[in-house]
């Protein structure tokens, strides 16, 4: 703890953390698991971008 005291104090003073980065990383890992059967990497990348963008996608009702 003594070795990292400066970093700990700086983190507490600034209020910053890597929580958002870890949350995005977790979301990407989950998406990769869900998209395991996708036939192309382009589809996987599109799904990751969609899930991490925060857009709300609603399905249209077909009449």
């Amino acid at each position: 703890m003594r070795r990292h005291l400066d970093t700990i104090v700086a983190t507490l003073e600034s209020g910053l953390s890597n929580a958002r980065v870890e949350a995005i990383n977790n979301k990407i890992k989950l998406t990769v698991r869900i998209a395991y059967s996708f036939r192309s990497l382009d589809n996987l990348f599109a799904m990751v971008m969609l899930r991490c963008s925060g857009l709300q996608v609603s399905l249209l009702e077909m009449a």
Side-chain angles (χ1 to χ4, degrees):
M1 197 162 144
R2 289 180 185 157
R3 263 183 27 203
H4 301 290
L5 185 60
D6 292 338
T7 308
I8 294 169
V9 170
T11 301
L12 293 174
E13 287 176 349
S14 69
L16 298 175
S17 73
N18 65 341
R20 288 186 187 205
V21 173
E22 291 296 330
I24 296 272
N25 190 33
N26 188 30
K27 193 177 280 192
I28 291 170
K29 285 181 180 181
L30 179 62
T31 303
V32 168
R33 257 183 290 171
I34 290 170
Y36 184 71
S37 63
F38 282 7
R39 294 180 186 212
S40 74
L41 287 177
D42 290 337
N43 292 343
L44 171 62
F45 294 151
M47 180 64 83
V48 168
M49 295 298 286
L50 181 64
R51 288 188 51 127
C52 293
S53 70
L55 291 175
Q56 297 295 322
V57 178
S58 62
L59 300 176
L60 298 175
E61 185 175 318
M62 301 299 277

